[in-house]
Amino acid sequence: MEEAVSGVKGELGYQVYGQDLKTLEAKADQIVVVMASGQGIQDLGEFSGVLGQPNENFTVNRDAAARYQINVADVQDAIQTAVGGNALTQVLQDDRRYDLVLRYLRNTATPGKRSRISAF
């Protein structure tokens, strides 16, 4: 399987999809055990690139945004700034360029407190 398709360079690869990361990890481990018992299998490994990385989904209340005449893209930009930061400009130092990033204070951008951030 090519690297562009699977994200892993090798002759054979597999991907496991689902919602529960712990279940996915257990299934991947089971697949490795079964594949390892095959004849001629060499250099078998498991690549778990997403385990332990939680995702958060935000849903924009379009009615509330419209009431304040704010479009959804602006709300999404504010969420991006709060969670991951946004590059405002670049700072030049000698021949190097660095992004100047704005983000909310860490104590307001932690997963436990994000649900309490309200724009409306």
Side-chain angles (χ1 to χ4, degrees):
M1 189 174 263
E2 291 296 320
E3 184 176 3
V5 176
S6 67
V8 178
K9 191 163 185 86
E11 295 294 322
L12 177 65
Y14 67 92
Q15 293 181 344
V16 182
Y17 296 94
Q19 298 295 320
D20 183 12
L21 292 179
K22 292 190 186 298
T23 301
L24 292 174
E25 184 177 19
K27 292 295 179 188
D29 290 340
Q30 290 174 359
I31 292 169
V32 167
V33 168
V34 170
M35 289 178 72
S37 66
Q39 202 171 22
I41 300 293
Q42 295 178 353
D43 195 24
L44 180 63
E46 177 184 343
F47 176 73
S48 305
V50 298
L51 294 178
Q53 298 177 1
N55 292 320
E56 291 192 61
N57 295 319
F58 294 90
T59 304
V60 177
N61 182 331
R62 291 175 181 270
D63 292 332
R67 182 172 43 244
Y68 293 98
Q69 299 179 353
I70 300 172
N71 64 39
V72 173
D74 290 339
V75 175
Q76 291 171 332
D77 284 344
I79 292 170
Q80 171 61 37
T81 300
V83 175
N86 272 333
L88 297 177
T89 187
Q90 289 188 334
V91 177
L92 300 175
Q93 184 178 19
D94 298 325
D95 60 340
R96 297 183 190 153
R97 294 176 184 247
Y98 300 97
D99 285 338
L100 178 64
V101 177
L102 171 71
R103 71 180 300 160
Y104 289 3
L105 294 174
R106 290 235 184 246
N107 63 351
T108 59
T110 57
K113 294 185 178 183
R114 285 187 192 144
S115 61
R116 291 182 280 181
I117 295 174
S118 176
F120 305 107

